[in-house]
Amino acid sequence: MAAHTVSPLAPAAFPQLPEIGGVTLHTATLGIRYKGRPDVLLAELATGTSVAAVFTTSTTASAAVRWGREALRGGTGRAFLVNAGNSIAFTGKAGEQFVADEVTATCKLLSCEKNEVFTASTGVIGEPATANRITDALPAMMEDKASWMDAARAIMTTDTFAKGATATADIGGTPVKLAGIAKGSGMIEPNMATMLAFVFTDAKIPHATLQAMLADCNGRSFNAITVDSDTSTSDTLLCAATGAAGNAEFDDANGADLAGFKTALETVLVDLAHQIVRDGEGASKFITINVTSALNDAEAKTAAKAIANSPLVKTAIAGEDANWGRIVMAVGKCGVMADPNKLTVSIGGIPLAHKGERVADFDEAPVTAHIKGQYIDIDVDLGFGNGSATVWTCDLTHGYISINADYRS
Amino acid sequence: MAAHTVSPLAPAAFPQLPEIGGVTLHTATLGIRYKGRPDVLLAELATGTSVAAVFTTSTTASAAVRWGREALRGGTGRAFLVNAGNSIAFTGKAGEQFVADEVTATCKLLSCEKNEVFTASTGVIGEPATANRITDALPAMMEDKASWMDAARAIMTTDTFAKGATATADIGGTPVKLAGIAKGSGMIEPNMATMLAFVFTDAKIPHATLQAMLADCNGRSFNAITVDSDTSTSDTLLCAATGAAGNAEFDDANGADLAGFKTALETVLVDLAHQIVRDGEGASKFITINVTSALNDAEAKTAAKAIANSPLVKTAIAGEDANWGRIVMAVGKCGVMADPNKLTVSIGGIPLAHKGERVADFDEAPVTAHIKGQYIDIDVDLGFGNGSATVWTCDLTHGYISINADYRS
């Protein structure tokens, strides 16, 4: 594979992530597909860690996802085991055996229950493999601790930079910390994409409460981004709360006691989701699409996703062209309640089209200046309801074609 | 505008289309946007011509489409008036006036009712214009007859070749003829990506019967193609049956008497639809996607469209890569009933994946040979129902990005 240059939208550096009590990271460099970098991650979790998760809605989900859906019923976890380079998706019985072997080996090492081990695999679909390279490496992996940077690198595929985010909160007077890592970067429309994200906190939070908060925040973070409208077979978001912070336990996911934590959780998820968009294959622009005054929030999100996924809108922005007619087209095609005579379209905060026609004194110059930047804002006001949604995406460039037309060659 | 090269998938020549009794073609070269070629078409129809139509489902449809939906209630037509270069879409009251002025001027010339005049406009969205250049030119246009080739050229925007198709049938012992023209998306200004198609026959067929046949055949032709998943604000398919052939009249759209005609109609629509895909922006491959054994036909079409619209599938084919994992992904994301353990994926007629895993003795060489050709066949068998659908698309190449990102720059 050709080396990919780092996305022009990459952050300046990998963030400083704090140690999270109850979480120990281990990595290995097995060369499954990628050479000279870690490609297996074992996140070891303290006994009693609450686990919450959101998985792909794909009906052709990978063996790891199918196992994770099962294991989540227990609500606790002792390990997340992740490999990059082969997604083990669509590999039939061999895939199921791969996951089972990983789980058995990890249980043995950690003396835990099977449903306390969650696995994730990312890479090529449909390449059968056995787990023994990974299971054989586990004992040696346990001997060394890895950094967040190593952990974030171990889960990358075509990502051009490692992704991490952190936040802090206060629960009942006790400070708690959160740290998360994620990978993109193609096949991304996380309905609940090969999007993988792992978030860790030392907060003590019961499973059901953590699950409710994770699902809610996921709707406004990973489920609000799209790179190419393609939903992976392996999308997995796992969250572990170890309880090492020793905070008082609260169980109302929407209560005042956990409000600060929930905000911190959403901050970490949105930060990681944005980093995935910023590393979207071939991305040169980060696009924020706000739809307001829709019939309801769901319709607003449908319209925002239609704009975000329109190849014509995405290529116009790649070409730095304020072609608002394509935005109107995308709204029109998606089936939400819309009336051309009520629609307002703004780019960079400047209304270009209002109530069914071009703004009379519309001057393209300031809009063109905005569109030459790296961060593009598109606002669409549908003009009749209270629904709103924000979706983030990137532009569609020659880079996307080069990366994807050459992936296996 | 830069000159664009003819699609590599273009037919060798424009077909020989027969004269259709009751249809007289007129064109004008007004230079609305394109220079040195006709850009206005008036198809004059005999008194009593039945008209059927299918319009875009866009909620931001153009003024011409909104007028056409109204006018169709009458069921008859005396004229189709079409211009290329400006779609008059999203131009508010100015757009409604444009269409009203066209209709009024045409009625006066032909001494007919307003709802017997259908208009269509294709080109840039959101550019206000008045109709007087066109209405002023109508009397002079009427003095000369144009050829099918001229008519097909008059409706092109950035199409790289003129599109026409013909077929014959027999109704109650009387031979009837059909001729159609269409335009698709061209190579440089795809915000003009508007599908227009006009089909003419000398058969005598009542409006309701013609409408039922057109709607049905449209589902298996124009509604079974996709270039980039973006739906125009102006898509229009108009069909005129003049009755000049003098056949006996039959009104059962599904009856034996009209079966031959319906087959001929579908042949013309599918031929034109294929020509639009063959002129898809940047297209280098023509892809046929067959989905079988789905829960029902609707689910089969949803799955086929998901594959056809997946940027990852389209770029893999552009890269001549038999990456069937992306096909499995597309089926999984679209929400139709699917079970990885029952799924079979074939490329070029060769099964690559069967019942949840790669075919054991799978040899990529013959598949790769197929994929290096211009015509690619993808077959997906979902393994449990009787539903089936066929969808046609093209690959996603650097050409698409260049065409769409370089517009206006």
Side-chain angles (χ1 to χ4, degrees), chain B residues 11-149:
Chain B
F14 188 77
Q16 290 291 335
L17 302 190
E19 279 201 36
I20 301 290
V23 179
T24 313
L25 305 170
H26 310 282
T27 59
T29 301
L30 301 186
I32 292 169
R33 181 179 186 92
Y34 299 100
K35 313 294 173 194
R37 43 154 273 203
D39 55 356
V40 179
L41 165 67
L42 175 69
E44 189 185 344
L45 306 168
T47 306
T49 293
S50 289
V51 171
V54 181
F55 299 104
T56 180
T57 57
S58 174
T59 55
T60 55
S62 68
V65 165
R66 285 179 281 144
W67 166 251
R69 289 171 180 161
E70 255 335 279
L72 188 63
R73 295 180 189 182
T76 61
R78 288 296 313 285
F80 296 168
L81 178 59
V82 190
N83 74 279
N86 188 328
S87 73
I88 320 292
F90 214 72
T91 51
K93 295 234 175 302
E96 284 164 28
Q97 194 61 51
F98 182 100
V99 174
D101 290 348
E102 285 191 324
V103 169
T104 301
T106 308
C107 281
K108 207 164 157 184
L109 269 178
L110 301 180
S111 306
C112 68
E113 298 297 320
K114 287 193 176 177
N115 67 4
E116 292 183 305
V117 179
F118 295 82
T119 77
S121 296
T122 177
V124 186
I125 294 174
E127 295 263 15
T130 56
N132 55 299
R133 276 171 83 179
I134 295 171
T135 53
D136 289 352
L138 284 173
M141 282 174 71
M142 297 283 286
E143 286 167 24
D144 287 307
K145 290 184 186 179
S147 66
W148 282 115
M149 176 74 171

Side-chain angles (χ1 to χ4, degrees), chain A residues 115-137:
Chain A
N115 66 4
E116 292 183 304
V117 179
F118 294 82
T119 77
S121 295
T122 178
V124 184
I125 294 173
E127 295 263 15
T130 55
N132 56 298
R133 277 170 83 177
I134 295 171
T135 54
D136 288 354

Side-chain angles (χ1 to χ4, degrees), chain A residues 395-407:
Chain A
D395 54 345
L396 175 57
T397 68
H398 286 289
Y400 184 87
I401 306 293
S402 296
I403 291 164
N404 285 297
D406 305 339
Y407 187 57

Side-chain angles (χ1 to χ4, degrees), chain A residues 257-278:
Chain A
D257 294 311
L258 291 177
F261 177 81
K262 192 173 175 184
T263 299
L265 178 63
E266 183 164 339
T267 299
V268 169
L269 297 185
V270 168
D271 190 343
L272 291 173
H274 283 194
Q275 291 184 53
I276 286 174
V277 171
R278 289 163 72 154

Side-chain angles (χ1 to χ4, degrees), chain A residues 23-29 38 40-44 109 137-148 150-151:
Chain A
V23 179
T24 314
L25 304 171
H26 310 283
T27 59
T29 301
V40 177
L41 165 67
L42 175 70
E44 189 185 345
L109 269 178
L138 284 173
M141 281 173 71
M142 297 282 288
E143 286 168 23
D144 287 307
K145 290 186 184 176
S147 66
W148 283 115
D150 282 344

